[in-house]
Each structure stands twice: as C-alpha cells, then as structure tokens.
Amino acid sequence: MGHKYAAEPFKIKSVEPIHMTTREEREAAIERAGYNTFLLKSKECYIDLLTDSGTNAMSDNQWAGLMIGDEAYSGSVNFYALEKAVRELYGFKYVVPTHQGRGAENILSRIAIKKGDYVPGNMYFTTTRTHQEMNGGIFEDVIINEAHDPQAEHPFKGNIDLKKLQALIDRVGADKIPYVCLAVTVNLAGGQPVAMQNMREVRALTNKYGIKIMFDATRCIENAFFIKEREEGYQNKTIPEIVKEMFSYGDGATMSGKKDCLVNIGGFLALNDEKMYQKATQIVVVFEGMPSYGGMAGRDMEAMARGMYESVDYYYIKHRVEQVRYLGEQLDKAGVPIVKPVGGHAVFLDARRFLPHIPQDQFPAQMLAAKLYVHSGVRSMERGIVSAGRDAATGEHHYPKLELVRLTIPRRVYTYAHMDVVADAVISLYQKRDSIPGLEMVYEPPVLRFFTARFKPLPLK
C-alpha cells in the first residue's frame, strides 16, 4: 500500500468540533473585519491557519503539569523547572520569564540598545524591529540575497551575508552595534533555516569586534531539523545535540514559547552575561512581574518546561515539518506560486505571482488572504507591504521584495486530511485569480498596522 504521508506520532484524546460557514456568512464577516483576517472571529473560521503562535495542542503530560502549578509570588518551583530546561536544552545560564516573546524583545531592546545604534539581523520581524526602533535602534538587513527571491532553492536561505555584516561594521563602527539579531528560522523569508556553518562564521566575525549575538529562538527546533536533514556532518546528530551547538554560538536569546515550546502562552529572555541579566530583572519587574515568574503563571511555566523536552523528540519534529511540506508540494504540483523551499512552520503563497495584476500598494497579499477566507473558510495572514509598515523617517511604505500570504500550520492540531482541504481551496481560488481586485487602506494604526488596519475593495480593472 502506497501511503502519501506518515501517520501522526500521537493519539487524539480530546477533540474540538469545527463548523463550516456559508459563503454569504463569510462575505459578511470579512466586510465587518475590514478585509483583515486578524479581525475575524475564530468561530467564523473553518481551518484556522492565521498563526502557529499559541495555537498548539498540548500533550497529556503538559496538561498534567498544569495541575502542579505553584503560584507563589516568588521562587515558584515551576520557574526552576523552566530554568533547568533552558540550561539543559539550550545551554544558557540565566532565564527571565515573560508573558510572550515580544516581552523578551522589549526587555532586550531596553537594556542593550542606545539611540542611534544599528541592529543587524537576518531579515526583520515585525515586533522585533518595532521594539528595536522604539528604543532608538536602526534595523539593518544582512540576510543573503537569495532570501528575497521566493524561487531560489538555497537550502539555508536564512543565512547571514558576512560581507553585508562586515560592511555595516566598517561603515558605522562596532561600538554602534550592540548585537546581531540571528533568527532561527527566518519567518518572513518563508520559515527558512540558518546553517550551523553560518552561525560559526558569524560568531567568529563578531568575536573580532566584541559584538554579541542574540538569537530569535522562536522556531529553533525546526531549524535544528533542517540542519540534521541538509547539512553535512549532522545526519547522525540528535536534535538536542544540534540545538545545544546552535546556541553555543550566541550570548542570549528571546523566545516565544508559543511556537516551539508547544504551549499557548509564555516566553523568556535567556542570557549568559550576569550584568545583562541583572538589568533584565530590573526591567521585568516594571513591565511583566517578579523575575521568577515574569508574565507567566506557575502552571504555564511547568507546561512550557515539559513542552521544551517534547519538542526535541525527533519523531515529533519530523512529522511537524513533513506535514507542512506535504501541503507545499501539493500546491507546487498544481502550479500555485509558493516560496521555495517550503519552510518549517508554514507554506507561503507568492502573492506577486498569484495576483500579478494588482500593484503592491493595492495590497495583493492582504486581498489574497481575504479572498481565500471567503472562498473556503480557511484563515491565513498577510506577510508583505502591510506587515512591513512605514519608514520611520520618511513615512513612506516599506516595499519588501516578498509579498506573501502565510498558511501557518499549528502544532499537533490538524491532520493531513485538513491539508488536503486547504490545498484544494487554494488551487481552486488560483484558477479564479483574474477576478480578484486590489484594496484601499481606510484605517491605519501608527504601529504594527497589520493587526488592526482596515481595507475596502477597489474596482477591478
């Protein structure tokens, strides 16, 4: 018997019913939401691929951990379980819990960035860059050029371009660069991984100038799987061994536990420098909570610690990445334009090629996400000009080379049958693509506009 995919490495113990809405209901819903899928109600969505952040299904072991939550105001036993997991799996000395990843980004930006500093990174992420800029920093993209080409089949499109990084150091001086922000994987490039060799080379370069490396560790387990699969010398390494080596090249990390830690809320800032840790504990008290719980309940720290150990199981992460890949391969075979190679957490539709008749300043990815919802009940999200925001100095739109719609797969939530439904929906919509118009933005918030901006359709030209 020739199965198209491997069975899930888990049994289903509890289910949540989902219901399909009518097209008329979805048309009314998207109009109420201002053609922004973030503003839809979850009950209005059939298959929800808006994000993999906090949408994970927890294991029976994690649910059991909730029952031993120690909600002491200071010194919770669950904090020490989380600290132990971070030290054993990631190798960092100090842990500051936060309510989620952007809490860690806020603290790191406040303690490390001075006005006029430059923060190089392998492509921006929305909240990361916002925190950097709000604290006076200037983001500088130093990712390899292939990352901006959705068709490039480079196995590690998340890599930092060492020449770009060196050029920035030469131009502004090492004392103006507090750290390199190294994301593993790179979300906005399509979930693309970074090679271990590249991490070593970046570490060697930054060591020459005393520049720190701070990981965005959000999807580090996916990155480790790609290293095992693609990089010479790592096929026989375990996922924990690869993760430990990855972080050995850094000085700290921000972590959104809502992704690869397999929980629904929480995050942390991990550090090796004691002085930075002391500064971080002073800031966390102001914005989050005591240093031993930050923005998290004890029970959630316990669930996160247990999820971290579950996440490095090879059979779990193999299934996770291959399920995403399965969806991407179906779309690619049907001629639907996607980002290649398929990343670890999502399939990204290339809205530029999907809707070539819509100019970028008419928000083609935003409209594609809205139309996919109306067409099928599948909720996705825009990752293009709306997410890129405006230049802080000029007020003009950032015009990213990548104009994408992200089909983000929650962990341990959907089956391969759901992927078939999504593939069929995208393929059938692609056949009707010429009938899709552009959008006009009618409400724009000043910061992180993609969350709450509102739009209305333009006439089809």
Side-chain angles (χ1 to χ4, degrees):
M1 296 177 65
H3 295 291
K4 293 186 294 183
Y5 43 76
E8 284 78 7
F10 50 80
K11 295 187 295 183
I12 297 169
K13 275 193 173 183
S14 181
V15 298
E16 176 187 341
I18 55 176
H19 304 283
M20 172 60 95
T21 53
T22 66
R23 185 180 183 91
E24 291 73 22
E25 288 171 332
R26 295 193 297 275
E27 287 175 342
I30 200 68
E31 189 171 346
R32 284 195 304 270
Y35 288 80
N36 186 342
T37 54
F38 271 98
L39 300 180
L40 292 167
K41 298 176 181 178
S42 65
K43 68 178 182 179
E44 297 170 330
C45 304
Y46 176 48
I47 298 176
D48 198 346
L49 307 185
L50 183 73
T51 182
D52 62 328
S53 178
T55 56
N56 310 297
M58 293 203 302
S59 69
D60 54 354
N61 183 50
Q62 288 176 288
W63 280 106
L66 295 182
M67 299 306 297
I68 60 167
D70 173 13
E71 307 308 336
Y73 191 73
S74 181
S76 165
V77 297
N78 310 120
F79 166 74
Y80 296 108
L82 176 60
E83 182 183 61
K84 179 175 180 286
V86 172
R87 288 175 173 174
E88 288 185 354
L89 294 173
Y90 298 172
F92 294 113
K93 295 178 183 178
Y94 304 107
V95 184
V96 182
T98 57
H99 74 283
Q100 58 186 63
R102 68 196 61 172
E105 292 169 351
N106 175 46
I107 294 169
L108 176 60
S109 298
R110 284 175 174 271
I111 66 174
I113 296 173
K114 304 185 302 296
K115 185 174 177 57
D117 280 350
Y118 288 79
V119 186
N122 50 343
M123 200 173 285
Y124 81 98
F125 184 68
T126 52
T127 59
T128 313
R129 187 176 71 185
T130 296
H131 282 299
Q132 291 166 356
E133 291 176 348
M134 289 177 70
N135 285 280
I138 302 164
F139 169 76
E140 186 87 9
D141 189 2
V142 293
I143 203 167
I144 61 174
N145 291 336
E146 288 89 340
H148 296 283
D149 179 0
Q151 291 297 97
E153 290 275 10
H154 194 292
F156 292 101
K157 287 168 76 172
N159 282 357
I160 283 179
D161 186 319
L162 296 172
K163 291 182 179 178
K164 291 181 182 179
L165 180 55
Q166 183 67 64
L168 177 66
I169 295 170
D170 293 342
R171 177 164 60 89
V172 305
D175 60 335
K176 299 289 286 183
I177 302 175
Y179 61 89
V180 174
C181 184
L182 180 54
V184 285
T185 58
V186 181
N187 187 352
L188 295 184
Q192 303 299 330
V194 181
M196 193 76 82
Q197 179 63 29
N198 186 248
M199 296 182 214
R200 278 194 293 269
E201 291 170 349
V202 173
R203 177 78 281 178
L205 177 58
T206 56
N207 276 345
K208 293 180 183 178
Y209 299 96
I211 299 171
K212 288 180 165 56
I213 293 175
M214 294 293 172
F215 281 95
D216 178 343
T218 298
R219 297 179 180 88
C220 59
I221 309 303
E222 294 169 13
N223 201 101
F225 178 84
F226 285 123
I227 289 174
K228 181 176 176 67
E229 184 181 62
R230 299 176 182 174
E231 192 162 358
E232 185 178 354
Y234 287 91
Q235 283 73 26
N236 296 323
K237 296 281 189 181
T238 67
I239 298 297
E241 287 171 339
I242 295 170
V243 169
K244 198 70 162 293
E245 183 181 345
M246 283 168 50
F247 289 132
S248 73
Y249 302 121
D251 299 284
T254 58
M255 182 55 147
S256 172
K258 299 166 67 176
K259 285 85 166 176
D260 270 357
C261 294
L262 298 175
V263 289
N264 307 120
I265 196 68
F268 57 80
L269 173 63
L271 296 164
N272 283 331
D273 185 277
E274 186 176 5
K275 289 183 179 179
M276 288 190 74
Y277 170 69
Q278 293 298 339
K279 289 181 180 179
T281 58
Q282 296 165 26
I283 297 293
V284 77
V285 170
V286 176
F287 288 97
E288 304 269 344
M290 285 290 288
S292 60
Y293 74 87
M296 298 180 69
R299 55 182 172 268
D300 291 322
M301 289 190 286
E302 184 67 34
M304 183 183 290
R306 295 183 182 209
M308 289 173 67
Y309 286 104
E310 292 177 13
S311 74
V312 297
D313 174 74
Y314 173 74
Y315 296 102
Y316 151 73
I317 190 59
K318 181 174 186 290
H319 171 268
R320 194 285 188 282
V321 173
E322 290 185 349
Q323 186 184 53
V324 177
R325 188 176 292 162
Y326 171 80
L327 173 58
E329 288 173 349
Q330 287 200 73
L331 297 179
D332 188 41
K333 287 177 184 176
V336 176
I338 64 171
V339 173
K340 299 178 182 178
V342 175
H345 72 292
V347 177
F348 287 72
L349 306 178
D350 184 352
R352 282 184 186 275
R353 290 187 294 138
F354 201 114
L355 302 173
H357 58 284
I358 301 179
Q360 194 172 20
D361 59 5
Q362 292 182 13
F363 315 111
Q366 188 75 35
M367 186 50 135
L368 180 53
K371 284 295 186 181
L372 178 60
Y373 167 73
V374 171
H375 183 66
S376 64
V378 174
R379 177 158 67 164
S380 58
M381 71 170 294
E382 183 267 4
R383 277 300 186 219
I385 187 173
V386 181
S387 293
R390 295 184 182 271
D391 185 286
T394 67
E396 297 297 316
H397 290 301
H398 288 296
Y399 285 87
K401 293 180 180 178
L402 297 176
E403 183 72 16
L404 310 174
V405 169
R406 192 180 75 180
L407 305 170
T408 334
I409 314 303
R411 295 163 185 79
R412 304 189 296 201
V413 171
Y414 293 117
T415 67
Y416 279 96
H418 292 105
M419 299 301 102
D420 288 334
V421 171
V422 174
D424 290 344
V426 174
I427 292 166
S428 63
L429 182 63
Y430 185 59
Q431 294 166 354
K432 304 173 183 178
R433 60 192 180 277
D434 293 340
S435 65
I436 299 175
L439 288 170
E440 176 187 358
M441 190 183 297
V442 296
Y443 166 70
E444 179 180 1
V447 178
L448 296 174
R449 64 186 184 178
F450 64 94
F451 283 126
T452 57
R454 301 181 71 89
F455 307 81
K456 68 177 182 180
L458 292 165
L460 182 64
K461 293 182 179 180

